[in-house]
Amino acid sequence: MTEYKLAIYGRGGVGKSALTIQLVQNQFIEIYDPTIEDSYRKQLVIEGETRILDILDTAGSEEYSMMKDTYLLEGEGFLIVYSIVSRNSFDEVRSFYELITRAKDSEDVPIVIVGNKADLEFDRQVSQCEGMDFAKSLNCSFIETSAKSNLNVEEAFVVLVKKINKHRLDNPNNNNNNNHRRSRCEIL
């Protein structure tokens, strides 16, 4: 089985933990409890193969930013999450993008921009088109999700894994990928 090291970044309160727990445990957490750092493992069948996702749910607050640094170097793919009902969280996406690309010393990093809380459509502050256009300007994929209604939660992670697979194939000599095992299908 192929393993993937993923990390989720975004401002506090955007639903990073809710997305992760919805994926891993198939439940929605109602109460906001700020995360320091949690890691999860989940098996998913993607493109007919079982994949193991090693997911780091990072803190949204700056006081724990040093913990994030290690995973920035080891992570292969990143979800940058904002809340569609928070303009401020959207405005911080570029900072997280720059943090990741600077740590990786490349703009060629598998990243998916995630607009979460799509179930709160009537309180929307960031349009779907605005999110899509912004992600496109950064050459990232984009998806809107709702951890509460389980909308596109698994799909966000699937999109990221597919981006990582493409990145691995396009960069076969990349030493940053030493921590995974390639399947026969990926080598061919």
Side-chain angles (χ1 to χ4, degrees):
M1 286 183 267
T2 308
E3 291 190 29
Y4 300 82
K5 288 189 175 219
L6 315 177
I8 303 177
Y9 286 85
R11 181 181 207 176
V14 297
K16 298 180 302 293
S17 296
L19 285 170
T20 306
I21 291 170
Q22 182 61 262
L23 175 77
V24 174
Q25 299 174 2
N26 202 28
Q27 67 179 17
F28 177 69
I29 51 171
E30 289 279 346
I31 300 166
Y32 175 61
D33 182 18
T35 302
I36 294 175
E37 182 178 279
D38 288 323
S39 46
Y40 300 86
R41 287 178 66 83
K42 172 73 174 177
Q43 287 187 15
L44 282 181
V45 176
I46 302 171
E47 298 176 324
E49 184 181 333
T50 301
R51 317 289 179 145
I52 298 174
L53 309 185
D54 185 4
I55 305 164
L56 181 73
D57 177 13
T58 66
S61 99
E62 280 303 308
E63 62 195 83
Y64 301 110
S65 65
M66 289 184 67
M67 291 181 204
K68 296 179 201 176
D69 294 344
T70 302
Y71 216 82
L72 278 170
L73 298 174
E74 295 175 7
E76 293 180 87
F78 304 86
L79 295 179
I80 302 176
V81 182
Y82 70 91
S83 168
I84 69 160
V85 299
S86 169
R87 169 63 57 183
N88 290 338
S89 71
F90 178 71
D91 292 342
E92 290 182 27
V93 169
R94 182 176 296 280
S95 296
F96 287 105
Y97 172 82
E98 290 171 355
L99 177 77
I100 293 164
T101 56
R102 197 170 35 251
K104 292 294 195 181
D105 196 25
S106 173
E107 290 185 2
D108 182 26
V109 179
I111 296 174
V112 177
I113 309 290
V114 178
N116 193 33
K117 302 189 181 184
D119 56 292
L120 300 175
E121 180 64 35
F122 295 111
D123 297 322
R124 182 185 283 274
Q125 293 181 9
V126 182
S127 75
Q128 187 174 29
C129 288
E130 189 175 4
M132 289 172 62
D133 290 345
F134 183 68
K136 187 176 180 181
S137 76
L138 299 176
N139 198 29
C140 296
S141 295
F142 173 80
I143 192 165
E144 282 197 351
T145 61
S146 168
K148 185 173 187 175
S149 65
N150 201 13
L151 173 71
N152 291 331
V153 173
E154 186 173 305
E155 185 61 25
F157 288 89
V158 169
V159 168
L160 183 55
V161 166
K162 288 179 178 180
K163 285 185 72 81
I164 293 169
N165 283 340
K166 182 178 181 335
H167 189 262
R168 287 176 177 178
L169 290 172
D170 292 346
N171 302 285
N173 296 322
N174 187 345
N175 291 329
N176 290 336
N177 294 333
N178 287 340
N179 295 326
H180 75 275
R181 292 175 293 168
R182 290 186 185 266
S183 73
R184 226 173 105 85
C185 296
E186 290 174 329
I187 294 170
L188 297 175

